[in-house]
Amino acid sequence: MTLDELNAASAAQFTAALGAVFENAPWVAAAAASRRPFDTVAALHEAMTDAVRATSPDELTEFLRGHPELAARNVAMGAHSVAEQAALGLDRMARDREAIFGGLNAAYAGRFGFPFIICVRRRTRASILAEFERRSLQCEDAERATALHEIGLITRLRLVDLVDGPGKPVAAGKLSTHVLDTASGRPAAGMAVELFEIDGDAAIKLAGAVTNADGRAEALLHEGGPLPIGCYELRFHVGPFYAGRDDGEPPFLGVVPVRFGIAEAEGNYHVPLLVSPGAYTTYRGS
Amino acid sequence: MTLDELNAASAAQFTAALGAVFENAPWVAAAAASRRPFDTVAALHEAMTDAVRATSPDELTEFLRGHPELAARNVAMGAHSVAEQAALGLDRMARDREAIFGGLNAAYAGRFGFPFIICVRRRTRASILAEFERRSLQCEDAERATALHEIGLITRLRLVDLVDGPGKPVAAGKLSTHVLDTASGRPAAGMAVELFEIDGDAAIKLAGAVTNADGRAEALLHEGGPLPIGCYELRFHVGPFYAGRDDGEPPFLGVVPVRFGIAEAEGNYHVPLLVSPGAYTTYRGS
Amino acid sequence: MTLDELNAASAAQFTAALGAVFENAPWVAAAAASRRPFDTVAALHEAMTDAVRATSPDELTEFLRGHPELAARNVAMGAHSVAEQAALGLDRMARDREAIFGGLNAAYAGRFGFPFIICVRRRTRASILAEFERRSLQCEDAERATALHEIGLITRLRLVDLVDGPGKPVAAGKLSTHVLDTASGRPAAGMAVELFEIDGDAAIKLAGAVTNADGRAEALLHEGGPLPIGCYELRFHVGPFYAGRDDGEPPFLGVVPVRFGIAEAEGNYHVPLLVSPGAYTTYRGS
Amino acid sequence: MTLDELNAASAAQFTAALGAVFENAPWVAAAAASRRPFDTVAALHEAMTDAVRATSPDELTEFLRGHPELAARNVAMGAHSVAEQAALGLDRMARDREAIFGGLNAAYAGRFGFPFIICVRRRTRASILAEFERRSLQCEDAERATALHEIGLITRLRLVDLVDGPGKPVAAGKLSTHVLDTASGRPAAGMAVELFEIDGDAAIKLAGAVTNADGRAEALLHEGGPLPIGCYELRFHVGPFYAGRDDGEPPFLGVVPVRFGIAEAEGNYHVPLLVSPGAYTTYRGS
């Protein structure tokens, strides 16, 4: 669907096309229809957000209540929410964590009167849990503002997916790595590198790659969407790379883990390794 | 017991005192008794080793057969061996690993005709297992030489424990760390550091400490015996050290794991961390 | 001048256009004219080089003798050579160094029977001098081969300048830098950086720049020709960048010099600085 | 001379022995004589300093006027001052710098009414000049306080030299280096290292050494007195250390200069180099 098509469509067609972007609230799209034409996707999103802001406090509470609980079973939710929660595995968590979410959901709803709303595409599961705990303790005004901000993030990503056109809001982060063999002063080619998501004591493998002639691990590159906020670990298989040097067994450096946090989902994270058999340096590059 | 006392004792007293140093072989001590006096503990150990070397091939096989199986239940073994194996937890392994040792023991004995002998005080459990597998594939001559070399290492440590006197053979390695905060150019004081032994996917905590005013973690220092050959991980709690800088949540550096191998049980391993909020360097120092 | 135009020109026009590429040897261009058309500039250069290779040993000596002495006064030389030597300042050296070149020229000509030939666009003055001394000691066969190789490098650069068209031989190196402030984990913006050529104890300033928002010093970038082989120094003005931190006077890091050699005139040299108030790391990147 | 001897001496002997410690002011020693006995050298120094503090503003001005001008010719000064200024070469400066000092001396005396007083043993010449310029602009109260503070530093060092006994005030700084070859994970033995004092564009060689088996350059170690505040450069001859690796000519790393400032004359400066053929790291260690 292009922005031009949306600008040219009837109000009913427009509302049908975008009615699901804001959860259980097709009236948001209907209100934005009257403000056409839009020059950019960002302007379209701004108009929809304006419609939410124009509601009365009671209407706003009703709107917030229209969102599904997080990680809940047997709850009606829109197709967008179903897909987003499933991508993160929130529909198939271990029983103990499911219980934690259940307890948080109940306490949150009891305190604020609406479900906990968060843009799940911008966070790892561990980070969602930490944020759930933090936000449960906020004062009510701050929490309503945070919930609206998250709805803005959620719907911006949905619009970017749905609509082609100029002026798409930037919604992509970038993660990359690079390995230099400082013993030779050359890129380290042919080194295995893995990327893990860290969730407490668990490490969940996300991707694996082998560095190319320029020392880059292209297949690990994350591009095209937000970087989920959370903790990660790169593991560089340095031992096999330097094998045959007779440095004793085990070598000083075998697997080199580099653990780092991502706090900016739309940021640029370059995490290189400068390595030799007896030392290494890593840093947040750019 | 001092070297002077051993030099002055009767042959029977001498043999009684040192008869258990070589497993099931009091004749080794008896042979050494006739070569007294000894100037150094090292010379005493050398004389005992000479007695083993002077045996015929068949006697040597018999001597090797006098050693207990590793990690075996219901096996008679000397008090030294009991204590050494227990210190490593070889008497209380998980069932699956016990089965692996059982299989290796059977295959090894079938091939070489005597039990697998290794100085368990110089290796981690994972390293013993790796060495067991490696040595099982050696040719017979090389393996008999390796077994005798390991007996030399075992008995040297036992003598050092038993006898006070000049010329003790060096049998100690050293492990230390040091944290510098390069953002301030000062030692990083008050940072929590932990030391783990790495055994496959498991990390077994060995020690924890907090860096002092000079950035050193004294309580992590290993001194006084061999460093068990194997894989280790230091974990530096960098996140809390830099807390309050508003670098986003989670910070780029939270827990910094530094994984390294120790191949020289009597070596000096200094593994420092040069750290700032956006980078770190680690290396094998001296 | 385009390759198409050269392919379409008369033999006389072709020879007139390219006759000066090989020093005092318009017959080289004349010989290549008959092998037209050329698909690429590289093929044109190859054809000219073939013409030189096809000469007899005596003709080759004559050809080599047609080259001017290096850094000599009152010597007739082609316009290309005049410009190339002047760019390096070989026409206005200090008297003492002029005397050194004079001595080397005389000894070289006495030994080999032709002048010392080197591609001056690919080296610094200090590197030319070092190479002059090294080559003066080579055996005659090796030195004739080196002289011909250098003529290939000289004429390739001249052709690349003269002729537009597909398939230009690669003749560019790249030098760049990048500064990261690891204390903040961000690029270091606004830091002054200078580039010097090192000639013995002297440092000749080549360029100065201030890092941009991404920590890059664009104005220092060398692009578009060979990197002269030689020694260089980047000077990073770290002191003012961290001023106001009350680290004492003078600060631990004021001017950070990074001295490095370039051995590959067509190579890619990325020489970054990872810096904090108490430490820095530099390396050959890619 | 020991503290015990001074405690037992007559007042006249005591004053004769220490009368020259405070410039042209034997009355300072005379006043301290009556407060004997002293338990520590520090207490003796404190008593002498008290005598200065007890003077009236006019007497204090007179006392300050009793000090010699810095770097002045044909000026009467005590033997201590002669030796201290000569050690720094302040008696044999180039004419242009002598003129700068002359101008500063005249301006300073005109403004404050007494000569510029500074502890020359705690600074390099360049640092004295920078401090002279800075202090010339201070307000009068701050400058009188600074002058008295410097007199405390000067006399403390003189007392430490003259008197043996317990409780000597700490007056020593330490400078050391260490080179690790991270390509091998071992100390870099046999590498030449030089230490220079930086004075504007000039580098004055202070010492040279070759690293020992532990990678340390003992002969460069500064121990036993204050580290003169100022700028320094270590030069590590990395090129010859890695010679024979065929990394091209010149190698990426030849001479590695590490330039650093010393702001704490009694501080501990450990400036190591972690180096491999393609990278290095340096930092302020401890």
Side-chain angles (χ1 to χ4, degrees):
Chain A
M1 192 163 25
T2 69
L3 191 58
D4 286 346
E5 290 166 359
L6 286 169
N7 279 330
S10 71
Q13 287 171 321
F14 179 92
T15 304
L18 302 184
V21 168
F22 283 71
E23 199 84 15
N24 275 324
W27 54 266
V28 176
S34 64
R35 289 182 51 190
R36 290 181 294 171
F38 298 109
D39 288 342
T40 63
V41 178
L44 163 58
H45 185 243
E46 189 64 21
M48 296 179 88
T49 309
D50 283 348
V52 174
R53 284 195 209 105
T55 54
S56 71
D58 285 354
E59 286 168 335
L60 189 60
T61 302
E62 206 54 40
F63 166 66
L64 294 172
R65 281 188 185 141
H67 288 73
E69 278 198 335
L70 201 64
R73 290 172 193 253
N74 309 319
V75 165
M77 57 175 122
H80 286 300
S81 287
V82 169
E84 288 159 7
Q85 295 204 17
L88 210 65
L90 292 177
D91 56 343
R92 53 182 189 280
M93 282 189 294
R95 285 283 159 188
D96 55 345
R97 183 162 278 190
E98 198 179 332
I100 294 173
F101 268 102
L104 284 167
N105 274 331
Y108 185 98
R111 172 143 187 238
F112 297 111
F114 54 88
F116 177 70
I117 302 165
I118 192 164
C119 180
V120 298
R121 288 169 69 182
R122 292 180 73 256
R123 294 187 176 271
T124 64
R125 285 207 291 183
S127 164
I128 288 170
L129 196 53
E131 191 68 358
F132 205 161
E133 288 169 350
R134 185 187 72 78
R135 283 174 49 187
S136 295
L137 304 174
Q138 281 202 120
C139 71
E140 198 171 338
D141 281 358
E143 181 52 23
R144 284 174 80 98
T146 304
L148 281 173
H149 178 69
E150 291 287 329
I151 289 170
L153 295 169
I154 294 166
T155 53
R156 194 176 65 171
L157 286 170
R158 290 177 180 174
L159 264 194
V160 165
D161 287 349
L162 279 176
V163 182
D164 274 335
K168 281 201 185 192
V170 175
K174 191 171 165 196
L175 172 63
S176 58
T177 187
H178 187 198
V179 189
L180 281 166
D181 170 23
T182 64
S184 69
R186 303 282 166 191
M191 185 186 292
V193 188
E194 297 168 295
L195 177 66
F196 291 81
E197 177 185 325
I198 300 299
D199 186 355
D201 285 336
I204 304 147
K205 183 164 173 178
L206 301 180
V210 172
T211 55
N212 64 14
D214 192 35
R216 299 184 190 277
E218 302 290 352
L220 284 186
L221 281 172
H222 174 100
E223 274 183 300
L227 287 171
I229 291 167
C231 286
Y232 296 85
E233 190 170 290
L234 284 164
R235 292 190 192 156
F236 299 91
H237 291 258
V238 170
F241 183 79
Y242 286 127
R245 294 174 58 99
D246 195 23
D247 291 332
E249 189 57 41
F252 181 63
L253 299 179
V255 171
V256 166
V258 172
R259 192 171 286 205
F260 59 97
I262 286 183
E264 304 166 53
E266 289 79 25
N268 180 12
Y269 284 79
H270 185 52
V271 187
L273 188 73
L274 313 177
V275 67
S276 63
Y280 62 88
T281 294
T282 188
Y283 55 96
R284 180 171 179 190
S286 71
Chain B
M1 193 163 24
T2 69
L3 191 57
D4 286 344
E5 289 166 0
L6 287 170
N7 279 330
S10 70
Q13 287 170 322
F14 180 92
T15 304
L18 301 185
V21 169
F22 283 71
E23 198 84 14
N24 275 324
W27 53 266
V28 176
S34 63
R35 288 181 52 189
R36 291 179 295 167
F38 298 109
D39 289 341
T40 63
V41 178
L44 163 58
H45 185 243
E46 189 64 20
M48 296 180 86
T49 308
D50 284 348
V52 173
R53 283 196 209 104
T55 55
S56 70
D58 284 355
E59 286 168 333
L60 189 60
T61 302
E62 207 53 40
F63 165 68
L64 294 172
R65 281 187 185 143
H67 287 73
E69 276 199 334
L70 200 65
R73 291 172 192 253
N74 309 319
V75 165
M77 58 175 124
H80 286 300
S81 287
V82 168
E84 289 159 6
Q85 295 204 17
L88 211 64
L90 292 178
D91 56 342
R92 53 182 190 280
M93 282 190 294
R95 286 282 157 189
D96 55 344
R97 184 162 277 189
E98 199 180 330
I100 295 173
F101 268 102
L104 284 165
N105 274 330
Y108 185 96
R111 173 142 187 238
F112 297 111
F114 54 87
F116 177 70
I117 303 166
I118 191 164
C119 179
V120 297
R121 288 168 69 182
R122 291 179 73 258
R123 294 188 175 271
T124 64
R125 287 207 290 182
S127 164
I128 288 170
L129 196 55
E131 191 68 358
F132 205 161
E133 287 169 353
R134 187 189 69 80
R135 284 174 49 190
S136 295
L137 303 174
Q138 281 201 120
C139 71
E140 199 171 338
D141 282 358
E143 182 51 24
R144 284 174 80 99
T146 304
L148 281 173
H149 178 69
E150 291 287 329
I151 289 170
L153 295 169
I154 294 166
T155 54
R156 194 176 66 170
L157 286 170
R158 289 177 179 174
L159 264 194
V160 165
D161 286 348
L162 279 177
V163 183
D164 274 335
K168 283 202 184 193
V170 175
K174 192 172 165 196
L175 173 64
S176 58
T177 186
H178 187 197
V179 189
L180 281 166
D181 171 23
T182 63
S184 69
R186 303 282 165 191
M191 186 186 292
V193 189
E194 298 168 294
L195 177 65
F196 292 81
E197 176 186 325
I198 300 300
D199 185 355
D201 285 337
I204 304 148
K205 183 165 173 177
L206 302 181
V210 172
T211 55
N212 64 15
D214 193 34
R216 298 185 190 277
E218 303 290 352
L220 284 187
L221 281 173
H222 174 100
E223 274 182 299
L227 287 171
I229 291 168
C231 286
Y232 296 86
E233 189 170 291
L234 284 164
R235 293 189 191 156
F236 298 91
H237 291 258
V238 170
F241 183 79
Y242 287 127
R245 294 173 57 99
D246 196 23
D247 291 331
E249 188 57 41
F252 182 62
L253 299 179
V255 171
V256 167
V258 172
R259 191 170 286 207
F260 60 97
I262 285 183
E264 305 165 53
E266 289 80 24
N268 180 11
Y269 284 80
H270 185 53
V271 186
L273 187 73
L274 313 177
V275 67
S276 63
Y280 62 88
T281 294
T282 189
Y283 55 96
R284 181 171 179 189
S286 73
Chain C
M1 194 163 21
T2 68
L3 191 58
D4 286 344
E5 289 165 0
L6 286 169
N7 280 331
S10 70
Q13 286 172 322
F14 180 92
T15 304
L18 301 184
V21 168
F22 283 70
E23 200 83 13
N24 276 323
W27 53 266
V28 176
S34 62
R35 289 180 53 189
R36 290 178 296 167
F38 299 111
D39 288 342
T40 63
V41 179
L44 164 57
H45 186 244
E46 189 65 19
M48 296 179 87
T49 308
D50 284 348
V52 174
R53 282 195 211 106
T55 55
S56 71
D58 284 353
E59 287 168 332
L60 188 60
T61 302
E62 208 54 39
F63 166 67
L64 293 172
R65 281 188 184 141
H67 287 75
E69 277 199 333
L70 200 64
R73 292 176 190 250
N74 309 318
V75 167
M77 57 175 122
H80 287 300
S81 288
V82 169
E84 288 159 9
Q85 295 205 17
L88 212 64
L90 292 178
D91 56 343
R92 53 181 189 280
M93 282 189 294
R95 285 280 158 189
D96 56 342
R97 183 161 278 187
E98 200 179 330
I100 295 173
F101 268 101
L104 285 166
N105 274 330
Y108 185 97
R111 175 147 186 235
F112 297 111
F114 54 86
F116 178 70
I117 303 164
I118 191 164
C119 179
V120 298
R121 288 169 69 183
R122 291 180 73 256
R123 295 188 174 270
T124 65
R125 285 206 292 181
S127 165
I128 288 170
L129 196 55
E131 190 68 358
F132 205 160
E133 288 169 350
R134 186 188 70 78
R135 283 174 48 190
S136 294
L137 303 174
Q138 282 202 118
C139 70
E140 200 172 336
D141 281 359
E143 181 52 24
R144 285 174 78 98
T146 305
L148 281 174
H149 178 69
E150 291 288 327
I151 289 170
L153 296 169
I154 293 166
T155 52
R156 193 176 67 172
L157 286 169
R158 290 177 179 174
L159 265 194
V160 165
D161 286 349
L162 280 175
V163 183
D164 274 334
K168 283 203 185 192
V170 175
K174 192 173 165 194
L175 172 64
S176 58
T177 187
H178 187 197
V179 189
L180 282 166
D181 170 24
T182 63
S184 69
R186 302 284 167 190
M191 186 185 292
V193 188
E194 297 168 294
L195 177 65
F196 292 82
E197 177 186 325
I198 300 299
D199 185 354
D201 285 337
I204 303 148
K205 183 163 172 178
L206 301 180
V210 171
T211 55
N212 64 14
D214 193 36
R216 299 186 190 276
E218 302 290 351
L220 284 187
L221 282 172
H222 174 100
E223 274 182 300
L227 288 170
I229 291 168
C231 286
Y232 297 86
E233 189 169 293
L234 284 164
R235 293 191 191 153
F236 299 91
H237 291 258
V238 170
F241 183 79
Y242 287 127
R245 293 173 59 99
D246 197 23
D247 291 332
E249 188 57 41
F252 182 62
L253 299 179
V255 171
V256 167
V258 172
R259 192 171 285 204
F260 59 96
I262 286 183
E264 304 165 55
E266 288 79 28
N268 180 11
Y269 284 80
H270 185 53
V271 186
L273 187 73
L274 313 176
V275 68
S276 63
Y280 63 88
T281 294
T282 188
Y283 55 95
R284 180 171 179 190
S286 71
Chain D
M1 192 164 24
T2 68
L3 191 57
D4 286 345
E5 290 164 0
L6 286 170
N7 280 330
S10 70
Q13 287 171 323
F14 181 91
T15 304
L18 301 184
V21 168
F22 283 71
E23 198 84 14
N24 276 323
W27 54 265
V28 176
S34 62
R35 289 180 51 188
R36 290 179 294 169
F38 299 111
D39 289 343
T40 62
V41 179
L44 163 58
H45 186 244
E46 188 67 19
M48 296 179 87
T49 308
D50 284 348
V52 174
R53 281 195 211 107
T55 55
S56 70
D58 285 354
E59 287 168 332
L60 188 60
T61 302
E62 208 53 41
F63 166 68
L64 294 172
R65 282 189 182 141
H67 287 75
E69 276 198 336
L70 200 65
R73 293 175 190 249
N74 309 319
V75 166
M77 58 175 121
H80 286 301
S81 287
V82 169
E84 288 159 9
Q85 295 204 17
L88 211 64
L90 292 178
D91 56 342
R92 52 181 191 282
M93 282 188 294
R95 286 281 158 188
D96 55 344
R97 184 163 277 189
E98 198 179 331
I100 295 173
F101 268 102
L104 285 166
N105 274 330
Y108 185 97
R111 173 145 188 235
F112 296 112
F114 54 86
F116 177 71
I117 302 165
I118 192 165
C119 180
V120 297
R121 289 169 67 182
R122 291 179 74 255
R123 293 188 176 271
T124 64
R125 284 205 292 182
S127 164
I128 288 170
L129 196 54
E131 190 69 358
F132 205 160
E133 288 169 351
R134 186 188 70 78
R135 284 174 48 188
S136 294
L137 304 174
Q138 281 201 120
C139 71
E140 200 172 337
D141 281 357
E143 181 52 24
R144 284 174 80 99
T146 305
L148 282 173
H149 178 69
E150 291 288 327
I151 289 170
L153 296 169
I154 293 167
T155 54
R156 194 176 67 171
L157 286 169
R158 289 177 180 174
L159 265 193
V160 164
D161 287 348
L162 280 176
V163 183
D164 273 335
K168 281 204 186 191
V170 174
K174 192 173 165 195
L175 172 63
S176 58
T177 187
H178 187 197
V179 189
L180 281 165
D181 170 23
T182 63
S184 70
R186 302 283 167 190
M191 186 185 292
V193 188
E194 297 168 294
L195 177 65
F196 292 82
E197 177 186 325
I198 299 299
D199 185 355
D201 284 337
I204 303 148
K205 183 165 172 178
L206 301 181
V210 171
T211 55
N212 64 16
D214 193 33
R216 299 185 191 276
E218 303 290 353
L220 283 188
L221 281 173
H222 174 99
E223 274 182 300
L227 287 171
I229 291 167
C231 285
Y232 297 87
E233 189 170 292
L234 285 164
R235 293 191 191 153
F236 299 91
H237 291 258
V238 170
F241 183 79
Y242 287 126
R245 294 173 58 99
D246 196 23
D247 291 331
E249 188 58 40
F252 182 62
L253 298 179
V255 171
V256 167
V258 172
R259 191 170 286 205
F260 60 97
I262 286 183
E264 305 165 53
E266 289 78 28
N268 180 11
Y269 284 80
H270 185 53
V271 186
L273 187 73
L274 313 177
V275 67
S276 63
Y280 63 88
T281 294
T282 188
Y283 56 95
R284 181 172 178 189
S286 71

